[in-house]
Amino acid sequence: MSDLGRGRAAFECAPGLRLAAHERVSQIHHDNINRRLDRLEEMLERLERRLWLTVYGVVAVILAQAFQSVLSAAQLH
């Protein structure tokens, strides 16, 4: 009788255990996706900083050339 009770208890718990295992796997997947998203956000922030540095560099070169042409025009007169 006790064997039957144990078998039945194990059988009744199997769906619950399967659900708990599925929840753990889903949580692991969710955590991995969140980590990947965090890494992507960090990479995008670095890329954005590099892009702005490039833009500022190009603007600085253009302004330096304009200033140099103004100086050379002023020296000619």
Side-chain angles (χ1 to χ4, degrees):
M1 177 111 177
S2 62
D3 289 338
L4 182 61
R6 288 182 190 162
R8 179 176 282 176
F11 179 75
E12 289 176 353
C13 290
L17 292 174
R18 189 173 18 180
L19 180 62
H22 177 70
E23 288 174 353
R24 282 193 305 269
V25 169
S26 295
Q27 185 63 41
I28 290 169
H29 285 295
H30 188 263
D31 293 342
N32 285 335
I33 288 172
N34 282 337
R35 273 196 297 273
R36 288 179 183 175
L37 283 174
D38 290 340
R39 283 195 312 238
L40 281 173
E41 287 176 1
E42 290 172 6
M43 289 170 53
L44 283 173
E45 287 175 6
R46 285 190 301 231
L47 182 63
E48 185 179 10
R49 274 187 250 130
R50 289 178 187 170
L51 179 64
W52 280 113
L53 284 174
T54 303
V55 168
Y56 290 141
V58 168
V59 169
V61 167
I62 291 170
L63 289 175
Q65 287 178 347
F67 184 69
Q68 185 180 14
S69 66
V70 167
L71 284 179
S72 64
Q75 288 177 351
L76 292 176
H77 287 90

